[in-house]
């Protein structure tokens, strides 16, 4: 009798075990975009949390939000000139008022606080602090604005992450050639030094440049942004050369004179689409995608994080094409041996701004036209099936973020990565239940979680672009990236949270996606408890 009972008990437990395991494994994978991205290996939603101390932030930039373009002694920036000239920006919109953040420190801090964020990424306007770009003339009112903002943030337990240059170059410096003039290296360093001196005891996270690729390519290549120069084969390379030197000098200034007493981090923020080889079975497509990433990210990151010099493929391609085009030397400038040593290692972290993904294949373009674009020998395009947004250039491809983070982690030897921008636009409509943005954040942040927990990439932080709708450069106010809605016809510029602000705040509060959220796993637990209960009852019954 006793023997038969224990066998029955064993059988019961075996049934419970089989039930539980079957239940756990029969769970259908969940997808954020079931109609487009539904590969169970690649796209299945991953429950789990981010490492302790992971940085959650949201971002803005000075020209896009501040307004007060000529108030309290601020100098003109090239964006003031450009927007006032007319004909360059959709609807001739300007940043004259924007979100009026110059007068709304309290409001901006309070929406961050309401979301439970402990970091805020914003930028200093160089001409607000130095109206003519030089330290010969410091605008103390401008210095004070940022000082007040920083104090208000710290008071609310929010750590400032400051970008020194987010595109609003003092017009006075552009009058001397802007980034084409090497003397800007020293002037940028003076500006950076002043900022470290005035704010460095309170600011522990510095970004020298935001997306310098955009400065070079749109400002001096395509000419669609100020200063509107169209020299994509030559000047873009000179501009980047000077920006890299400027970055390195500011980094050394911090490292030599401030790091010990202020103990912060200083790096640069680079932007890139993920480049996906069109056909993973074709080695040449893989090489092509890698080549674009070298031209886009490596152009800046290879000197800074690897060896003080440009990627080999850039040096080869540009030298070859320059010779074909009868240039007496390569259009890509060279760093001296001394400069290479000076530039190498000048980044405490890698700031990544990422939004979308593009396919790449090789396309030989032995053209007579000297251009950064033809120098790459690439054809690229996006997939029609990928979900669209409010911006032509931005389609939703969550897994691209994971792939790109892996590429960076691998290429730059595990340098700490902070995603310093990520987000999606909608058209200019009043819409608070922004489903597209809620899904975008959920899916992209989930892919970042995979990069960390499955792929072991060294990612330290994430930043949602943008805290609020703002002036979207050449698109004016026609494209909205905010997790807060701003009515630009309302003098008050009231900030109203969209649903995505709630979505993001929840992810931040949970530090990711704790697994308890899934209905199916709750079902499994209940089923298991029921089975255990029944088996216990039945064994007790048998015992009596
Ligand atoms: C470069 O800038 C300096 C001032 O910083 C100016 O004196 C010089 O003329 C400029 N060079 C050119 C070519 O504009
Ligand atoms: C991808 O490349 C492989 C190998 O060249 C080829 O067999 C396959 O047809 C290609 N797939 C597509 C979708 O082009
Ligand atoms: C370069 O020079 C060669 C020889 O003078 C000439 O045939 C060729 O057309 C030139 N190419 C360009 C792009 O100017």
């Amino acid at each position: 009798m006793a023997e038969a009972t224990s066998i029955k008990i064993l059988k019961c437990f075996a049934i419970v075990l089989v039930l539980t395991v079957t239940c756990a494994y029969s769970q259908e994978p969940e997808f954020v975009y079931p109609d487009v991205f539904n590969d169970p290996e690649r796209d299945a939603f991953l429950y789990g949390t981010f490492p302790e101390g992971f940085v959650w932030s949201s971002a803005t930039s000075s020209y896009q939000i501040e307004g007060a373009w000529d108030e309290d002694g601020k100098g003109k920036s090239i964006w003031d000139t450009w927007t006032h000239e007319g004909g360059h920006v959709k609807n001739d919109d300007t940043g004259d008022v924007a979100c009026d953040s110059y007068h709304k420190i309290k409001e901006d801090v309070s929406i961050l606080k309401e979301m439970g964020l402990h970091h805020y990424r914003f930028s200093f306007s160089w001409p607000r602090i130095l109206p003519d770009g030089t330290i010969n003339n410091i605008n103390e009112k401008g210095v004070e604005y940022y000082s007040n903002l920083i104090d208000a943030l710290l008071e609310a337990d929010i750590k400032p992450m400051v970008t020194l240059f987010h595109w609003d170059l003092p017009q006075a410096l552009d009058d001397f050639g802007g980034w084409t003039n090497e003397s800007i290296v020293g002037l940028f360093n003076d500006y950076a030094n002043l900022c470290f001196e005035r704010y460095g005891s309170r600011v522990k996270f510095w970004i020298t440049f935001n997306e310098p690729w955009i400065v070079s390519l749109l400002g001096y290549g395509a000419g669609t942004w100020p200063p509107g120069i169209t020299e994509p084969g030559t000047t873009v390379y000179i501009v980047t050369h000077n920006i890299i030197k400027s970055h390195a000098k500011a980094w050394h200034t911090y490292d030599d004179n401030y790091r010990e007493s202020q103990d912060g981090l200083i790096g640069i923020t680079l932007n890139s689409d993920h480049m996906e080889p069109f056909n993973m079975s074709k080695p040449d497509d893989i090489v092509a995608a890698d080549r674009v990433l070298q031209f886009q990210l490596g152009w800046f990151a290879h000197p800074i994080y690897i060896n003080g010099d440009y990627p080999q493929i850039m040096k080869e391609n540009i030298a070859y094409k320059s010779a074909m085009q009868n240039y007496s030397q390569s259009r890509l400038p060279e760093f001296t041996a001394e400069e290479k040593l000076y530039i190498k290692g000048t980044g405490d972290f890698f700031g990544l701004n990422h939004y979308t993904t593009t396919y790449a294949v090789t396309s030989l373009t032995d053209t007579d036209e000297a251009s950064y674009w033809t120098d790459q020998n690439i054809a690229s395009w996006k997939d029609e099936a990928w979900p669209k947004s409010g911006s032509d250039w931005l389609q939703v491809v969550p897994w691209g973020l994971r792939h790109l983070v892996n590429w960076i982690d691998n290429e730059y030897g595990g340098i700490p990565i902070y995603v310093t921008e990520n987000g999606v636009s909608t058209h200019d409509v009043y819409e608070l239940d922004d489903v597209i943005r809620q899904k975008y954040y959920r899916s992209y942040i989930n892919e970042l979680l995979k990069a960390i927990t499955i792929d072991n990439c060294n990612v330290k932080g994430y930043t949602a672009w943008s805290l609020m709708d703002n002036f979207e450069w050449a698109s004016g106010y026609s494209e909205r990236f905010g997790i807060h809605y701003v009515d630009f016809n309302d003098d008050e510029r009231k900030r109203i949270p969209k649903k995505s602000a709630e979505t993001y705040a929840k992810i931040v509060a949970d530090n990711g996606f704790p697994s308890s959220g899934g209905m199916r796993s709750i079902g499994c637990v209940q089923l298991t408890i029921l089975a255990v209960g029944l088996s216990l009852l039945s064994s007790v019954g048998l015992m009596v």
Side-chain angles (χ1 to χ4, degrees), residues 134 172-178 180-184 187:
T134 77
L173 298 187
D174 186 58
D175 296 343
F176 285 116
T180 66
N181 183 333
E182 200 182 337
S183 72
I184 201 166
L187 297 172

Side-chain angles (χ1 to χ4, degrees), residues 195-253:
C195 295
F196 302 148
E197 188 183 290
R198 296 295 185 95
Y199 306 108
S201 63
R202 291 169 287 167
V203 175
K204 305 297 173 189
F205 194 98
W206 295 101
I207 294 165
T208 53
F209 287 85
N210 177 73
E211 302 189 8
W213 184 94
I214 291 280
V215 176
S216 284
L217 262 298
L218 299 195
Y220 298 84
T224 49
W225 285 19
I229 291 166
T230 48
E231 293 166 0
T234 48
T235 303
V236 293
Y237 293 122
I238 292 161
V239 163
T240 290
H241 209 62
N242 288 331
I243 289 178
I244 291 170
K245 287 186 194 181
S246 302
H247 160 80
K249 196 167 173 65
W251 186 91
H252 278 288
T253 293

Side-chain angles (χ1 to χ4, degrees), residues 429-487:
V429 287
Y430 178 72
E431 176 194 47
L432 296 183
D433 189 4
D434 51 346
V435 174
I436 172 177
R437 197 169 287 105
Q438 297 158 43
K439 284 168 73 170
Y440 184 98
Y441 281 124
R442 241 180 112 65
S443 60
Y444 272 73
I445 295 172
N446 200 247
E447 293 295 330
L448 197 62
L449 178 66
K450 293 177 192 172
I452 296 172
T453 58
I454 300 174
D455 311 332
N456 269 316
C457 293
N458 189 16
V459 186
K460 300 291 191 192
Y462 177 87
T463 310
W465 181 273
S466 173
L467 179 62
M468 59 190 133
D469 294 335
N470 56 45
F471 177 82
E472 181 51 25
W473 310 109
S475 305
Y477 298 100
S478 69
E479 294 170 19
R480 293 174 174 270
F481 278 83
I483 53 183
H484 288 83
Y485 181 86
V486 178
D487 180 355

Side-chain angles (χ1 to χ4, degrees), residues 126 163-169 179 188 207-210 215:
W126 186 348
T163 310
L164 290 171
F165 185 76
H166 200 126
W167 308 344
D168 42 359
L169 182 73
W179 294 107
F188 180 74
I207 294 165
T208 53
F209 287 85
N210 177 73
V215 176

